Amino acid sequence: MNNTRNGSCLCGSVRFSVSGDLREVWGCHCSQCRKQTGLYYAATNAADDTIEIADGGTLKWYWASNHAKRGFCNNCGSALFWKMDGSSTTSILAGSFDQPTGLKMTMHIFTGDKGDFYDIADGLPQHAAAPPR
């Protein structure tokens, strides 16, 4: 998909636009994503040079591991971004985009770590760990 998409956090302090291609949405069920959102990440990603962020001073980054950080609004608590250290792309939570998004979920990753309180029954491919390269 190649057209501009806009999005924001819940309070609107952090707004962003993406003017390039977006990857399909992947559901990540790792324990970090579950703990940050309460369920799982449903995220797309985009090349960094296609993303513009208007930050009202509330975008904060948390280094959740020694190789990746998570961007969120420290005013309303919205989880927004995930960024691998050294990568030229940023994952963006699909639910933070204004509708219509035109996005489609295509797989689930880290299902070996998913919560025990829900089932994944949408028929999409499931990967116990990282997606195949």
Side-chain angles (χ1 to χ4, degrees):
M1 150 183 344
N2 191 351
N3 40 20
T4 300
R5 298 282 186 239
N6 299 303
S8 69
C9 64
L10 183 61
C11 73
S13 181
V14 179
R15 296 207 51 82
F16 63 88
S17 65
V18 180
S19 60
D21 292 331
L22 295 171
R23 185 199 67 208
E24 64 277 358
V25 175
W26 297 352
C28 181
H29 299 265
C30 78
S31 62
Q32 286 188 6
C33 288
R34 284 189 294 105
K35 287 183 180 279
Q36 187 179 30
T37 65
L39 188 54
Y40 62 90
Y41 256 39
T44 182
N45 82 4
D48 290 345
D49 63 359
T50 67
I51 304 169
E52 296 217 10
I53 299 173
D55 174 10
T58 63
L59 177 62
K60 301 298 179 201
W61 291 92
Y62 170 68
W63 284 93
S65 70
N66 62 359
H67 64 275
K69 60 186 179 178
R70 295 166 180 272
F72 65 97
C73 175
N74 79 338
N75 185 52
C76 64
S78 294
L80 299 166
F81 308 111
W82 183 90
K83 175 98 176 130
M84 177 76 76
D85 193 23
S87 175
S88 62
T89 63
T90 299
S91 290
I92 306 166
L93 271 75
S96 63
F97 282 95
D98 300 337
Q99 296 217 38
T101 67
L103 296 170
K104 184 172 178 78
M105 186 176 282
T106 60
M107 76 171 77
H108 297 275
I109 60 173
F110 292 98
T111 58
D113 200 24
K114 81 166 201 56
D116 62 0
F117 59 92
Y118 64 95
D119 294 318
I120 303 170
D122 58 12
L124 295 176
Q126 297 183 28
H127 304 281
R133 298 227 179 247

